[in-house]
Amino acid sequence: MTTLRPVIPYAKEQSMPIIQCDIREGRTPEQKQALARELTRVVHETIGAPIEYIYVLIRETPGSHHVKGGVALPPYAPPEEIQR
Amino acid sequence: MTTLRPVIPYAKEQSMPIIQCDIREGRTPEQKQALARELTRVVHETIGAPIEYIYVLIRETPGSHHVKGGVALPPYAPPEEIQR
Amino acid sequence: MTTLRPVIPYAKEQSMPIIQCDIREGRTPEQKQALARELTRVVHETIGAPIEYIYVLIRETPGSHHVKGGVALPPYAPPEEIQR
Amino acid sequence: MTTLRPVIPYAKEQSMPIIQCDIREGRTPEQKQALARELTRVVHETIGAPIEYIYVLIRETPGSHHVKGGVALPPYAPPEEIQR
Amino acid sequence: MTTLRPVIPYAKEQSMPIIQCDIREGRTPEQKQALARELTRVVHETIGAPIEYIYVLIRETPGSHHVKGGVALPPYAPPEEIQR
Amino acid sequence: MTTLRPVIPYAKEQSMPIIQCDIREGRTPEQKQALARELTRVVHETIGAPIEYIYVLIRETPGSHHVKGGVALPPYAPPEEIQR
């Protein structure tokens, strides 16, 4: 895993952005690591917070607990036909 | 402002990731727009959620309400010596 | 304003459901009162929590802080052509 | 399960209310579905948000993690003597 | 377990502070009880809320979901060399 | 203001507890500072997190947005008859 390299060299001042993600259970550990790392990176790049002070928290809940328009989502299932 | 283009063409299934950001007041509207747009983009790219279903919420509070290690942060002030 | 009358007479046991609403600024005080009262009522009726222990918290943020699919919402404006 | 029918026909504008519920583990899937569907309905009816854009998220935690007045709640147990 | 005794005898008015803690899984039930009880006590003592109305909610997530500076924390392991 | 002194000398490992407080507007800056400092202290003392990594966030909302048992709280008013 690549370490994040700060792109804003003088952003040393204190900061504490808190980013909370509520997603369905089912993503792989690699996906969740990438999610958190990339969220951290863009917070740093867009609002200048020092990387070391950015907190990202991921909470997972069953698909049935995510209700959109009054209808619960199904459990997350990795798509088969997506090419990367 | 660029529209986000999905990079995962088959990710059409229902989803509802919720990303909540608690930051200090003081960033410009442009910074906050960029923050939210970039958070959306990386959620889509790392966990495959369709862009249209990703909710990002930004909450701002005074610097004095962000307390790290028992000490309140100062108000956010845009840094002068940062070059982009 | 009508007081909520419990419909589940034996639901006296301890409980503490917490319902947090993040909405755009702009609704009237009456709308927000109705929202919170009705949320309380349905929590009581669907999961049996005693009314007195149900906490509802409303947080308002500018429309620009609510970002759906990478695009910020406009400020909330009460619709003119809606008939109730 | 009944589909929610919008009562406000012109509420088509963009919206994204987020309703987060923190409750104790132990309710049945049917209770949680009813909770989320009814929360969605009252949000629509009281503040006019289009049903399709309302997000409800349910998070469950053990009773011991819900602490009211300094005292933890017991695990949720369905009441026996309640008549509906 | 000691019952909390209010130190502010006239603080009888309605209140509803909500304190939410997101921590890693792994602390003992006794630690979490102490955490919640002490959080309640200091809320009462510093801002005068009546003890009975203070809600503390503890949510636990895996260490890998707590990402600080772009790097996930390890699972929580009780330290061996700490003396109390 | 007293600096917090860690009481657990070996608790140097990484940690990131996040404590979020939702309270009514109206407390003084001194009360809110004390609240956050004391919350930090008890998190450190009860679960052993290093002080420097503990994040406390205070969000304030109008009294009318805090709804207990279906009834909104009044605005916070400092009590007159409380002796400290």
Side-chain angles (χ1 to χ4, degrees), chain B residues 15-18 20 52-57 59, chain D residues 15-18 20 52-57 59:
Chain B
S15 190
M16 53 171 271
I18 298 171
Q20 303 180 64
E52 67 200 277
Y53 295 133
I54 299 168
Y55 278 12
V56 173
L57 176 69
R59 289 185 295 247
Chain D
S15 189
M16 50 171 273
I18 298 171
Q20 304 180 63
E52 68 200 276
Y53 295 135
I54 299 168
Y55 277 14
V56 174
L57 175 70
R59 288 186 295 247

Side-chain angles (χ1 to χ4, degrees), chain B residues 25-36:
Chain B
E25 308 168 321
R27 271 74 180 203
T28 63
E30 294 74 25
Q31 282 181 302
K32 290 182 285 185
Q33 263 194 62
L35 170 65

Side-chain angles (χ1 to χ4, degrees), chain A:
Chain A
M1 188 204 79
T2 332
T3 310
L4 289 173
R5 290 176 28 235
V7 297
I8 301 182
Y10 295 100
K12 289 275 180 270
E13 73 281 0
Q14 293 276 330
S15 191
M16 52 171 271
I18 298 171
I19 312 297
Q20 304 180 63
C21 310
D22 283 279
I23 62 175
R24 280 178 295 173
E25 306 168 324
R27 271 76 179 204
T28 64
E30 292 73 35
Q31 282 180 303
K32 290 182 284 184
Q33 265 196 59
L35 170 66
R37 191 183 62 242
E38 290 297 294
L39 290 175
T40 304
R41 186 178 59 77
V42 303
V43 171
H44 171 63
E45 288 179 359
T46 56
I47 68 171
I51 284 171
E52 68 200 276
Y53 295 135
I54 299 168
Y55 277 13
V56 173
L57 176 69
I58 296 174
R59 288 184 295 247
E60 288 182 317
T61 35
S64 59
H65 287 194
H66 285 253
V67 182
K68 190 172 97 61
V71 181
L73 296 191
Y76 176 76
E80 294 163 17
E81 63 279 17
I82 288 188
Q83 296 125 19
R84 297 173 182 272

Side-chain angles (χ1 to χ4, degrees), chain F residues 4-79:
Chain F
L4 289 173
R5 290 176 29 236
V7 298
I8 302 180
Y10 295 99
K12 290 274 181 272
E13 71 283 359
Q14 293 276 329
S15 191
M16 51 172 272
I18 298 171
I19 312 297
Q20 303 179 64
C21 311
D22 284 279
I23 63 174
R24 280 177 296 172
E25 306 168 324
R27 271 76 180 202
T28 65
E30 293 75 25
Q31 282 181 302
K32 290 183 285 184
Q33 265 195 58
L35 170 66
R37 191 184 62 241
E38 290 298 293
L39 291 174
T40 303
R41 186 178 60 77
V42 304
V43 170
H44 170 64
E45 288 178 359
T46 55
I47 68 171
I51 285 171
E52 68 199 277
Y53 295 133
I54 299 168
Y55 277 13
V56 174
L57 176 69
I58 296 174
R59 287 184 296 247
E60 288 182 317
T61 35
S64 58
H65 287 195
H66 285 252
V67 181
K68 191 172 98 61
V71 181
L73 295 190
Y76 175 76

Side-chain angles (χ1 to χ4, degrees), chain D residues 36-64:
Chain D
R37 191 183 61 243
E38 291 297 295
L39 290 175
T40 303
R41 186 176 60 76
V42 303
V43 170
H44 171 63
E45 289 179 359
T46 55
I47 68 171
I51 285 171
E52 68 200 276
Y53 295 135
I54 299 168
Y55 277 14
V56 174
L57 175 70
I58 296 174
R59 288 186 295 247
E60 287 182 317
T61 36
S64 59

